[in-house]
Amino acid sequence: QLQLVESGGGLVEPGGSLRLSCTASRYTLHSYEIGWFRQAPGKEREGISCIGAFGTTHVEDAVKGRFTISRDKTKNTVFLQMNNLRPEDTAVYYCAASEIESLCSVYNTGQYYYTSEQYHHWGQGTQVTVSS
């Protein structure tokens, strides 16, 4: 069973930056499509970014230009670099792994959207709070 662990969350002032990490201790993440989701209080969980097994990336419009996803295979880690953070970015952030081949690529068509059912393995989440 693939177990994902997120880290890097915390409290940051508006305009600040954080880098979230998603790693797995017993299995390699290389062959998985990895997505980042977030859930703010009182709101539904939303997908915001993904990276495919072969490097395809997608970033939702809400965070485009501020968030960047990357993968370091030597560290078996996927990162979400978050810059220029806003109070509305406050949420619990989750990484998830999908076994659906090329899932991240289909988001770029604009016809498919992130859903929890597309992802088979989830981390416990890390809290990000943006406040002055």
Side-chain angles (χ1 to χ4, degrees), residues 39-45 90-91:
Q39 187 166 20
K43 294 187 177 182
E44 294 186 356
R45 186 159 54 186
T90 295

Side-chain angles (χ1 to χ4, degrees), residues 27-90:
Y27 297 92
T28 178
L29 296 178
H30 300 175
S31 62
Y32 291 92
E33 308 280 299
I34 304 296
W36 281 98
F37 290 72
R38 67 184 181 184
Q39 187 166 20
K43 294 187 177 182
E44 294 186 356
R45 186 159 54 186
E46 62 173 342
I48 55 173
S49 188
C50 69
I51 186 163
F54 298 103
T56 301
T57 62
H58 178 266
V59 180
E60 282 289 285
D61 289 345
V63 299
K64 190 170 290 183
R66 300 188 297 123
F67 290 13
T68 304
I69 192 169
S70 62
R71 186 195 295 264
D72 187 333
K73 292 186 176 181
T74 64
K75 297 180 179 179
N76 198 35
T77 301
V78 172
F79 299 102
L80 185 68
Q81 178 67 43
M82 307 187 296
N83 298 328
N84 192 21
L85 283 161
R86 305 167 179 170
E88 55 264 39
D89 294 319
T90 295

